[in-house]
Amino acid sequence: MSNIVTSAAEPAPAGADLATPGAPSHGADPLPKLALGAIGVVFGDIGTSPLYAFRETFAGHHKLAVDALHIMGVVSLIFWSMLLVVTIQYVTIIMRADNKGEGGSLALLALISGRVKQIRWSRGIVLLGVFATALFYGDSMITPAVTVLGAVEGLAVAQPSLSHLVLPLSGLIIIALFVIQSKGTAKIGLFFGPVMLLYFVVIAALGVMSMVKTPGILWALSPHYAALFFYHDPLRAFLALGSVVLAVTGAEALYADMGHFGRNPIRVSWMFFVLPALMLNYMGQGALLFRDGVPALESPFYKLAPAGWELPLVLIATAAAMIASQAVISGAFSVTQQAIQLGFMPRLRIEHTNAATAGQIYIPLINWLLLAMVLLLVAFFRSSSNLTAAYGIAVTGAMLIDTCLLVVVLRRLWNWPLIAAVPLLAVFFLVDGAYFTANLTKIVSGGWFPLLAGFIIFTILTTWSKGRQLMIARMREGAMPIKVFIQSAATAATRVPGTAVFMTSTPEGVPHALLHNLKHNKVLHERIILLTVKIVDEPYVAEGQRCHLEDLTHGFHRMILKYGFIEEPDVPVALANVHRCGAEFRMMDTSFFLARQTLLASSRPGMMIWREKLFAWMLRNAESAMEFFRLPTNRVVELGSQLEI
């Protein structure tokens, strides 16, 4: 698993140490514009947490008494959680671990993969990164369900007679959200920033209005109230962490979306706008509990609204929930694309919804699978309160894995001394471990779902990666050395005009498609290109370093095209830019030969039979290499063969 290999037919990371350019520069855009964009896209998830986080801490699976000790303690825990986890761990430290400007678990895994190959536990590091990705898919299913439900449930607060509409209306909103994905989100995205800006201003204002009536809540910012909570009621304080962590859901989104806006705009937005707005609202909810007690627990978020303003607040919160869901759905598309490029998923059909923006993509299979799972979650759990139990495990599991990967970053990438790294990591492991352990108590109540989904997706990702390695190894076993082939076949076979491009998984040996073509057609083209596409451990590859060309004599050439893990291979465009291989490439004179393997499960060492069958099924249903590499449909020849793994 730690040795990641690319191929022409199924790309995967190459582990090459290349000098590549960074992510697109954001320097041309002013900081305020980027900060506004970050508010609209990056902070939707964490921004909608006030809908349910504070309520769940008191009225969720481990109820708390509504008294001064618990109210002040919970507000203090929320503040210091956001300070430690979001501000220090993610915004200040983890966001520095960017892969040429890109963030997220897979980008981080690609960043450190070259450094950990010499470590005996490198395979464990790769598996941790893959499992974090699997948990992200669980998060992508839960976030739309819990945020939309949490927002629409405000109808029952504003108009109790409309409570029966909460579930059907939530379902309709979710269906509409996924249906519009194929249209692209570029135009809708223009409204994300202003809508979220309005949302944060409104929730901050509501919090201030409540705090003015109970100003003593400001003292909850002191850490000693959190300490008092643990001192006087340690068990309930520990269990409360399972709900308090809901206030920091979306912290990983700050890191994952770094490539879209850059590090500084996200930091500025968080420190000077989002964090103050969220804390004002949480303190306002705490002040409300001081005044109204248990009745306010029905929905402290909506109870902050003055009489007559509940319905407008429902509309604003629902718009924010849709934006939060949109960001997670788009994130699932991006992560899937990275997973395909890095060799953890089979090729899937990827559609571009905006010709001017490479990141605007739509993956139909992922979209409809997510929609089905989100609707099932809504129908099964039926309320945001029930869903929060499932939500916490996915979030805290991903956070704990990020901390594990941070160990490698601090010691292997940044070379921090032990005296500096150990205390910091100890704090992070203590905090993240406590959150994760507290959420384990909710497994029976719904926490089983993200764990089950995570293990299923983890099995799929690792099966594909391992299967690819086995398939390439089996193909290499019978491969003929290219020099031997050229010497024996170049002069014996009839040469015909034109160019033949043989896509091959590895830059060694003779491609199976070339052998089959010579066997059946008994001819060779005047110019033969043995082409391998490699995906490197960096997001981008400079055009000047895209192509590596080797002349093998007798009209044979070995070509390697390199792409970053967020770039999309386009073989015809790359060939058009090659000027060191004889005549210019003309598509009408070029034929592309692809090998399509039919896998046969066997008892040979490698994987268990059921995993071999799963891999074979995924290979059969993978997107055609012709479409994935954008080859001209009328210039492609596929030659089949059987292979045991």
Side-chain angles (χ1 to χ4, degrees):
M1 291 294 301
S2 60
N3 189 15
I4 311 175
V5 184
T6 50
S7 75
E10 302 289 347
D17 186 13
L18 303 176
T20 58
S25 172
H26 304 288
D29 292 323
L31 181 62
K33 179 181 178 181
L34 291 171
L36 178 62
I39 289 171
V41 174
V42 176
F43 298 103
D45 195 352
I46 197 169
T48 51
S49 295
L51 287 166
Y52 45 79
F54 195 80
R55 179 197 69 206
E56 285 307 302
T57 309
F58 284 90
H61 295 80
H62 305 292
K63 295 179 173 55
L64 294 177
V66 183
D67 54 27
L69 171 69
H70 295 97
I71 294 173
M72 298 293 279
V74 167
V75 173
S76 184
L77 281 174
I78 289 175
F79 174 69
W80 287 97
S81 295
M82 288 201 286
L83 200 62
L84 285 172
V85 175
V86 184
T87 306
I88 297 178
Q89 183 176 357
Y90 278 90
V91 173
T92 304
I93 296 178
I94 291 184
M95 281 180 62
R96 289 182 57 213
D98 65 294
N99 191 340
K100 302 297 183 182
E102 295 297 322
S105 296
L106 282 178
L108 181 59
L109 181 60
L111 175 67
I112 67 178
S113 63
R115 303 293 184 91
V116 302
K117 287 177 182 176
Q118 294 127 3
I119 305 176
R120 64 182 177 209
W121 30 268
S122 60
R123 186 172 186 271
I125 293 173
V126 174
L127 293 179
L128 277 177
V130 174
F131 193 66
T133 303
L135 286 176
F136 174 81
Y137 282 105
D139 188 14
S140 302
M141 301 171 194
I142 299 171
T143 296
V146 72
T147 54
V148 172
L149 265 178
V152 179
E153 283 169 351
L155 275 179
V157 178
Q159 297 288 339
S161 60
L162 300 178
S163 59
H164 65 285
L165 295 178
V166 170
L167 279 179
L169 186 57
S170 298
L172 288 175
I173 291 173
I174 289 168
I175 291 172
L177 184 63
F178 281 92
V179 167
I180 65 172
Q181 296 304 312
S182 61
K183 307 299 181 184
T185 57
K187 294 182 180 179
I188 302 173
L190 296 176
F191 299 98
F192 282 8
V195 169
M196 290 305 297
L197 191 68
L198 173 64
Y199 169 79
F200 282 120
V201 168
V202 168
I203 67 171
L206 292 176
V208 170
M209 291 166 57
S210 177
M211 290 167 59
V212 167
K213 300 175 184 177
T214 314
I217 194 68
L218 281 168
W219 292 106
L221 297 180
S222 170
H224 93 279
Y225 282 101
L228 283 177
F229 187 10
F230 272 92
Y231 179 77
H232 290 288
D233 199 352
L235 177 60
R236 292 191 180 278
F238 169 73
L239 295 175
L241 291 176
S243 298
V244 167
V245 76
L246 295 173
V248 299
T249 56
E252 66 281 0
L254 312 186
Y255 181 45
D257 289 324
M258 183 168 53
H260 297 291
F261 302 99
R263 186 183 299 117
N264 286 335
I266 292 175
R267 286 176 173 171
V268 169
S269 300
W270 171 254
M271 295 297 298
F272 297 103
F273 186 73
V274 178
L275 175 60
L278 290 174
M279 278 315 304
L280 288 173
N281 189 264
Y282 283 122
M283 288 191 290
Q285 293 188 43
L288 179 68
L289 284 195
F290 266 118
R291 297 192 304 273
D292 295 355
V294 175
L297 286 179
E298 179 188 4
S299 179
F301 177 84
Y302 284 110
K303 293 285 186 180
L304 287 176
W309 286 90
E310 293 93 346
L311 281 178
L313 182 58
V314 170
L315 294 176
I316 295 173
T318 301
M322 293 182 69
I323 291 171
S325 303
Q326 174 62 59
V328 173
I329 296 167
S330 299
F333 295 156
S334 298
V335 167
T336 300
Q337 183 186 34
Q338 290 185 28
I340 292 170
Q341 300 288 61
L342 291 171
F344 291 109
M345 289 185 70
R347 295 182 306 259
L348 299 176
R349 183 159 61 92
I350 299 176
E351 298 178 3
H352 297 267
T353 58
N354 187 341
T357 308
Q360 291 282 335
I361 60 173
Y362 167 67
I363 305 179
L365 179 64
I366 299 299
N367 187 67
W368 301 124
L369 285 177
L370 281 179
L371 172 60
M373 293 307 302
V374 172
L375 290 177
L376 283 174
L377 285 172
V378 170
F380 183 80
F381 287 96
R382 305 187 67 81
S383 74
S384 62
S385 180
N386 293 333
L387 272 166
T388 54
Y391 204 12
I393 292 255
V395 172
T396 55
M399 283 168 35
L400 188 57
I401 291 174
D402 283 344
T403 304
C404 294
L405 296 178
L406 186 61
V407 174
V408 184
V409 171
L410 293 183
R411 293 290 294 146
R412 294 282 172 169
L413 269 64
W414 297 346
N415 299 315
W416 278 32
L418 287 174
I419 194 172
V422 170
L424 184 69
L425 290 169
V427 171
F428 290 161
F429 274 114
L430 177 65
V431 173
D432 295 340
Y435 287 139
F436 182 70
T437 308
N439 271 281
L440 289 179
T441 63
K442 300 181 180 180
I443 287 181
V444 177
S445 305
W448 55 268
F449 173 78
L451 291 178
L452 176 62
F455 279 115
I456 292 174
I457 296 170
F458 177 78
T459 299
I460 292 172
L461 298 179
T462 54
T463 297
W464 180 258
S465 178
K466 181 66 174 177
R468 281 291 307 146
Q469 292 179 24
L470 289 175
M471 188 172 74
I472 291 173
R474 300 291 186 259
M475 292 171 65
R476 281 175 174 166
E477 289 176 358
M480 178 188 299
I482 185 63
K483 291 184 179 180
V484 175
F485 175 83
I486 292 175
Q487 291 172 359
S488 62
T491 56
T494 303
R495 307 300 287 258
V496 296
T499 300
V501 178
F502 292 89
M503 307 290 284
T504 173
S505 301
T506 58
E508 304 101 18
V510 181
H512 281 209
L514 177 53
L515 292 173
H516 284 287
N517 179 60
L518 183 60
K519 176 181 177 181
H520 294 287
N521 298 322
K522 297 180 175 55
V523 295
L524 291 175
H525 288 71
E526 287 179 341
R527 180 170 57 176
I528 296 175
I529 308 296
L530 310 182
L531 177 61
T532 299
V533 176
K534 282 193 173 183
I535 308 301
V536 302
D537 288 342
E538 297 181 356
Y540 300 93
V541 171
E543 281 300 323
Q545 298 172 328
R546 177 84 64 204
C547 177
H548 173 75
L549 192 61
E550 179 185 359
D551 187 352
L552 301 176
T553 70
H554 295 287
F556 285 77
H557 304 269
R558 175 83 67 186
M559 183 183 295
I560 299 176
L561 296 178
K562 296 172 181 175
Y563 290 88
F565 61 78
I566 65 172
E567 293 183 292
E568 296 163 23
D570 191 323
V571 170
V573 169
L575 290 177
N577 292 325
V578 175
H579 307 292
R580 299 174 288 110
C581 190
E584 300 294 315
F585 285 91
R586 298 178 64 251
M587 288 301 103
M588 292 307 297
D589 296 329
T590 303
S591 298
F592 295 88
F593 291 84
L594 308 178
R596 177 173 286 273
Q597 285 83 22
T598 299
L599 296 187
L600 304 176
S602 71
S603 57
R604 297 181 65 178
M607 290 193 300
M608 289 180 283
I609 292 294
W610 69 267
R611 291 187 72 191
E612 291 181 356
K613 291 182 178 180
L614 173 61
F615 174 70
W617 176 82
M618 287 192 287
L619 186 64
R620 286 196 303 272
N621 290 278
E623 182 76 357
S624 167
M626 177 184 67
E627 296 182 2
F628 189 81
F629 293 111
R630 302 189 181 184
L631 305 179
T633 56
N634 60 341
R635 306 302 304 172
V636 173
V637 178
E638 283 196 338
L639 299 170
S641 63
Q642 291 187 338
L643 185 69
E644 282 192 355
I645 60 171

Coordinates of all heavy atoms in Angstrom, one line a residue, residues 472-502:
I472 N -0.5 -5.4 -12.1 CA 0.7 -4.9 -12.7 C 1.8 -5.9 -12.5 O 2.6 -6.2 -13.4 CB 1.1 -3.5 -12.2 CG1 0.0 -2.5 -12.6 CG2 2.5 -3.1 -12.6 CD1 0.2 -1.2 -12.0
A473 N 1.9 -6.5 -11.3 CA 3.0 -7.5 -11.0 C 2.8 -8.7 -11.9 O 3.8 -9.3 -12.5 CB 3.0 -7.9 -9.6
R474 N 1.6 -9.2 -12.1 CA 1.3 -10.4 -12.9 C 1.7 -10.1 -14.4 O 2.2 -10.9 -15.1 CB -0.1 -10.8 -12.8 CG -0.6 -11.2 -11.4 CD 0.1 -12.5 -10.9 NE -0.5 -12.9 -9.7 CZ 0.1 -12.7 -8.5 NH1 1.3 -12.1 -8.4 NH2 -0.5 -13.0 -7.4
M475 N 1.4 -8.9 -14.8 CA 1.7 -8.5 -16.2 C 3.2 -8.4 -16.5 O 3.7 -8.7 -17.5 CB 1.0 -7.2 -16.6 CG -0.6 -7.3 -16.6 SD -1.4 -5.6 -16.7 CE -0.8 -5.1 -18.3
R476 N 3.9 -8.0 -15.4 CA 5.3 -7.9 -15.6 C 6.0 -9.2 -15.6 O 7.1 -9.4 -16.2 CB 5.9 -7.1 -14.4 CG 5.7 -5.6 -14.5 CD 6.2 -4.9 -13.2 NE 6.2 -3.5 -13.3 CZ 6.3 -2.6 -12.3 NH1 6.5 -3.1 -11.1 NH2 6.3 -1.3 -12.5
E477 N 5.4 -10.2 -15.0 CA 6.0 -11.6 -15.0 C 6.3 -12.1 -16.4 O 7.4 -12.7 -16.6 CB 5.1 -12.5 -14.2 CG 5.0 -12.3 -12.7 CD 4.0 -13.2 -12.0 OE1 3.4 -14.0 -12.7 OE2 3.9 -13.1 -10.8
G478 N 5.4 -11.9 -17.3 CA 5.6 -12.5 -18.6 C 6.0 -11.5 -19.7 O 5.9 -11.7 -20.9
A479 N 6.4 -10.3 -19.2 CA 6.7 -9.2 -20.1 C 8.1 -9.5 -20.8 O 9.0 -9.9 -20.2 CB 6.8 -7.9 -19.4
M480 N 8.1 -9.2 -22.1 CA 9.3 -9.4 -22.9 C 10.1 -8.1 -22.8 O 9.5 -7.0 -23.0 CB 9.0 -9.7 -24.3 CG 10.2 -9.9 -25.2 SD 9.8 -10.1 -27.0 CE 8.8 -11.6 -26.9
P481 N 11.4 -8.1 -22.7 CA 12.2 -6.9 -22.7 C 12.1 -6.2 -24.0 O 12.1 -6.8 -25.1 CB 13.7 -7.4 -22.5 CG 13.5 -8.7 -21.8 CD 12.3 -9.3 -22.4
I482 N 11.9 -4.9 -24.0 CA 11.6 -4.1 -25.2 C 12.7 -4.2 -26.2 O 12.4 -4.3 -27.4 CB 11.3 -2.7 -24.8 CG1 10.8 -1.9 -26.1 CG2 12.4 -2.0 -24.2 CD1 9.5 -2.4 -26.7
K483 N 14.0 -4.2 -25.8 CA 15.1 -4.3 -26.8 C 15.1 -5.6 -27.5 O 15.3 -5.6 -28.7 CB 16.4 -4.1 -26.0 CG 16.6 -2.7 -25.5 CD 18.0 -2.5 -24.9 CE 18.1 -1.1 -24.4 NZ 19.5 -0.9 -23.7
V484 N 14.8 -6.7 -26.8 CA 14.7 -8.0 -27.5 C 13.6 -8.0 -28.5 O 13.7 -8.5 -29.7 CB 14.5 -9.1 -26.5 CG1 14.2 -10.4 -27.2 CG2 15.6 -9.2 -25.5
F485 N 12.4 -7.4 -28.2 CA 11.3 -7.3 -29.1 C 11.6 -6.5 -30.3 O 11.3 -6.9 -31.4 CB 10.1 -6.7 -28.3 CG 8.9 -6.5 -29.2 CD1 8.0 -7.6 -29.5 CD2 8.6 -5.3 -29.8 CE1 6.9 -7.4 -30.3 CE2 7.5 -5.1 -30.6 CZ 6.7 -6.2 -30.9
I486 N 12.2 -5.4 -30.1 CA 12.5 -4.5 -31.3 C 13.5 -5.2 -32.2 O 13.3 -5.2 -33.5 CB 13.1 -3.2 -30.8 CG1 12.1 -2.4 -30.0 CG2 13.7 -2.3 -31.9 CD1 12.6 -1.1 -29.4
Q487 N 14.5 -5.8 -31.7 CA 15.5 -6.5 -32.5 C 14.8 -7.6 -33.4 O 15.2 -7.9 -34.5 CB 16.6 -7.1 -31.7 CG 17.5 -6.0 -31.1 CD 18.5 -6.5 -30.1 OE1 18.5 -7.8 -29.9 NE2 19.3 -5.7 -29.6
S488 N 13.9 -8.3 -32.8 CA 13.3 -9.5 -33.4 C 12.1 -9.1 -34.3 O 11.9 -9.8 -35.4 CB 12.8 -10.5 -32.4 OG 11.8 -10.0 -31.6
A489 N 11.4 -8.1 -34.0 CA 10.1 -7.8 -34.7 C 10.3 -6.6 -35.6 O 9.5 -6.6 -36.7 CB 9.0 -7.5 -33.7
A490 N 11.2 -5.7 -35.3 CA 11.2 -4.5 -36.1 C 11.5 -4.7 -37.6 O 11.0 -4.1 -38.5 CB 12.2 -3.5 -35.5
T491 N 12.4 -5.7 -37.9 CA 12.8 -6.0 -39.2 C 11.9 -7.0 -39.9 O 11.8 -7.1 -41.1 CB 14.3 -6.4 -39.3 OG1 14.4 -7.5 -38.4 CG2 15.2 -5.3 -38.8
A492 N 11.3 -7.9 -39.1 CA 10.5 -9.0 -39.6 C 9.1 -8.5 -40.0 O 8.5 -9.0 -41.0 CB 10.4 -10.1 -38.6
A493 N 8.5 -7.6 -39.2 CA 7.1 -7.2 -39.5 C 7.0 -6.2 -40.6 O 7.9 -5.4 -40.8 CB 6.5 -6.7 -38.2
T494 N 5.9 -6.2 -41.3 CA 5.6 -5.2 -42.3 C 5.3 -3.8 -41.6 O 4.5 -3.8 -40.6 CB 4.4 -5.6 -43.1 OG1 4.6 -6.9 -43.7 CG2 4.1 -4.6 -44.2
R495 N 5.9 -2.8 -42.0 CA 5.7 -1.4 -41.5 C 4.6 -0.7 -42.3 O 4.7 -0.7 -43.6 CB 7.0 -0.6 -41.4 CG 8.1 -1.3 -40.7 CD 7.8 -1.6 -39.2 NE 7.7 -0.5 -38.4 CZ 8.7 -0.1 -37.5 NH1 9.8 -0.9 -37.4 NH2 8.6 0.9 -36.8
V496 N 3.7 -0.1 -41.7 CA 2.6 0.7 -42.4 C 2.7 2.2 -41.9 O 3.2 2.5 -40.9 CB 1.3 0.1 -42.1 CG1 1.1 -1.3 -42.6 CG2 1.0 0.2 -40.6
P497 N 2.3 3.1 -42.8 CA 2.3 4.5 -42.4 C 1.5 4.8 -41.2 O 0.5 4.1 -40.9 CB 1.8 5.2 -43.7 CG 1.9 4.2 -44.8 CD 1.7 2.9 -44.1
G498 N 1.9 5.9 -40.5 CA 1.1 6.4 -39.4 C 1.8 6.2 -38.1 O 2.9 5.7 -38.0
T499 N 1.1 6.6 -37.0 CA 1.6 6.5 -35.7 C 0.7 5.6 -34.8 O -0.6 5.7 -34.9 CB 1.7 7.9 -35.0 OG1 2.5 8.7 -35.8 CG2 2.2 7.8 -33.6
A500 N 1.2 4.7 -34.1 CA 0.5 3.9 -33.2 C 0.9 4.2 -31.7 O 2.1 4.2 -31.4 CB 0.7 2.4 -33.4
V501 N 0.0 4.5 -30.9 CA 0.2 4.8 -29.5 C -0.3 3.7 -28.6 O -1.5 3.4 -28.7 CB -0.4 6.1 -29.0 CG1 -0.2 6.4 -27.5 CG2 0.1 7.3 -29.8
F502 N 0.6 3.0 -28.0 CA 0.2 1.8 -27.1 C 0.2 2.3 -25.7 O 1.3 2.6 -25.1 CB 1.1 0.6 -27.4 CG 1.0 0.0 -28.7 CD1 1.7 0.5 -29.8 CD2 0.0 -1.0 -28.9 CE1 1.6 -0.1 -31.0 CE2 -0.1 -1.6 -30.2 CZ 0.7 -1.1 -31.2

